[in-house]
Amino acid sequence: MTITSPHLGSPSAAWTDARLLYALEEVVETELNRHLNVAKDWMPHEYVPFGDARNFPGFFEDGEAWDKEQSKVTEIGRTALVVNLLTEDNLPSYHHEIATLFGRDGAWGTWVHRWTAEEGRHGIVMRDYLLASRAVDPDKLEAFRMAHMSEGFESDNRHSMLHSVAYVAFQELATRISHRNTGHQSGDPVCDRMLARIATDENLHMVFYRNLLKAAFQLAPDLTMQAVRDVVVDFRMPGHGMPGFERAAAQMAIGEVYNLRIHHDDVLQPVLRHLKVLEIDGLGPQGLKAQEELGLFMDGLDAEASKFDAKLAARKARMAARAAG
């Protein structure tokens, strides 16, 4: 798509959030219409095994206490499901942030509300599945939710609309990958099917933001390159503030739900490669510097991922030897 704007060709310093929002409005409308044409509505309740549900203790005399043996879900699946759901639970904070950054009017506002509505399904279906299938301790899940949401959430990129667009282009793909891998590792075909449905939404959200980021590169290449550099170098998943996140993230890394290799190969590289970010020419001094730093960071991350791969392979070998012995 070719973008025309009275600001095109202006120095990067001339671009403000307000000007970028205005200049990208037409692109947002185009992408919104494309999204609405390809997105399929689905019913969360159709993915939940309600026939497996039974009462918990409390007000019900026949309530049965939770026990992890009641569920088919694996230990790593249980950990990842809690992290993924607690991330989805913070939707009110995410909505507040993007509504503040992108606005509530025009195509931007329509997208903000549509995205929020679609994301709301994810939390609904995941919680219903977890409770109906008894995949997790419901008391601990609620305690974690209260603690996480009570802390509030502030994005690392709340200072800049352009940084926020760059971040979600990667983060939506990261979420899709995390959901899909959680499903694969869950040990429950019902869970896998549910998370595959969620992942389809997340992929469409990624495409929306990736295309928006492509348009931003056409408008303000230097500023956009700097934003992408900042986001990639300092990337954190939105659930980083939840209770026990570091331990859960380590378990998910070992369990191959989400780790450095997956982050490099399946999240960062696909977006950078699709947009040909490291091949963009005609940049000014600051844009060129950011592009070079981004390339160096990706090389370093690949090296770190290789070290992790070796450690993971050695761990698997030790476990296999123990099992054989």
Side-chain angles (χ1 to χ4, degrees):
M1 177 182 294
T2 301
I3 304 168
T4 57
S5 164
H7 306 295
L8 194 58
S10 302
S12 292
W15 286 104
T16 62
D17 273 5
R19 285 177 174 176
L20 280 167
L21 283 165
Y22 177 78
L24 289 169
E25 177 93 24
E26 184 179 341
V27 182
V28 172
E29 184 172 3
T30 298
E31 290 304 312
L32 172 64
N33 290 333
R34 180 198 56 76
H35 177 84
L36 294 175
N37 283 333
V38 298
K40 295 180 180 178
D41 277 338
W42 55 280
M43 301 297 119
H45 54 267
E46 294 180 356
Y47 288 80
V48 179
F50 286 110
D52 295 341
R54 48 206 185 277
N55 294 334
F56 288 102
F59 292 104
F60 298 101
E61 293 181 1
D62 63 343
E64 184 179 347
W66 179 81
D67 186 291
K68 67 180 181 181
E69 299 303 323
Q70 298 163 346
S71 171
K72 303 173 186 175
V73 171
T74 60
E75 199 64 42
I76 184 57
R78 186 174 294 110
T79 297
L81 280 163
V82 171
V83 170
N84 291 354
L85 176 55
L86 291 181
T87 301
E88 300 287 357
D89 278 335
N90 249 339
L91 182 59
S93 290
Y94 310 147
H95 173 84
H96 171 76
E97 196 154 283
I98 66 170
T100 301
L101 280 167
F102 300 157
R104 302 167 69 95
D105 301 319
W108 280 105
T110 302
W111 167 253
V112 165
H113 295 303
R114 174 72 190 198
W115 175 87
T116 302
E118 291 184 5
E119 289 288 344
R121 284 183 179 141
H122 303 167
I124 290 169
V125 72
M126 287 179 69
R127 175 165 280 100
D128 286 351
Y129 165 80
L130 292 180
L131 296 179
S133 68
R134 294 191 166 229
V136 302
D137 183 333
D139 294 340
K140 287 185 178 179
L141 181 64
E142 178 60 9
F144 282 152
R145 187 190 71 84
M146 287 296 294
H148 186 38
M149 293 191 71
S150 295
E151 283 293 316
F153 172 83
E154 287 188 334
S155 167
D156 297 330
N157 304 289
R158 61 190 180 280
H159 63 288
S160 161
M161 184 277 289
L162 196 52
H163 280 70
S164 295
V165 169
Y167 175 73
V168 289
F170 295 102
Q171 182 265 320
E172 292 283 4
L173 181 53
T175 304
R176 171 204 164 195
I177 295 296
S178 180
H179 282 312
R180 284 305 288 124
N181 289 342
T182 298
H184 294 330
Q185 301 287 356
S186 70
D188 181 5
V190 175
C191 180
D192 193 24
R193 185 166 57 247
M194 171 194 67
L195 291 175
R197 178 57 260 188
I198 292 175
T200 299
D201 282 359
E202 303 290 10
N203 195 62
L204 290 177
H205 297 164
M206 178 276 293
V207 171
F208 177 95
Y209 287 119
R210 188 187 64 190
N211 291 350
L212 200 55
L213 189 60
K214 179 180 180 180
F217 267 116
Q218 293 183 36
L219 284 171
D222 287 325
L223 280 180
T224 305
M225 186 66 72
Q226 292 173 72
V228 169
R229 183 265 323 268
D230 293 345
V231 162
V232 168
V233 169
D234 297 324
F235 186 89
R236 296 195 295 176
M237 291 293 271
H240 62 80
M242 68 181 59
F245 179 78
E246 291 77 12
R247 182 165 183 256
Q251 292 171 336
M252 291 167 68
I254 293 170
E256 298 182 84
V257 172
Y258 201 94
N259 55 38
L260 281 179
R261 175 54 62 201
I262 293 169
H263 183 60
H264 178 276
D265 290 2
D266 300 339
V267 176
L268 298 182
Q269 282 283 34
V271 175
L272 295 175
R273 189 165 49 242
H274 181 86
L275 297 178
K276 300 181 179 178
V277 172
L278 296 178
E279 301 169 28
I280 293 173
D281 54 18
L283 296 166
Q286 291 301 311
L288 186 59
K289 179 174 181 285
Q291 188 182 48
E292 291 173 347
E293 290 174 350
L294 179 61
L296 288 171
F297 176 82
M298 290 298 294
D299 289 342
L301 184 63
D302 188 33
E304 287 297 312
S306 294
K307 292 178 184 177
F308 174 83
D309 291 342
K311 290 180 181 179
L312 187 59
R315 184 179 186 275
K316 286 181 178 178
R318 287 194 304 271
M319 293 179 69
R322 281 184 204 148

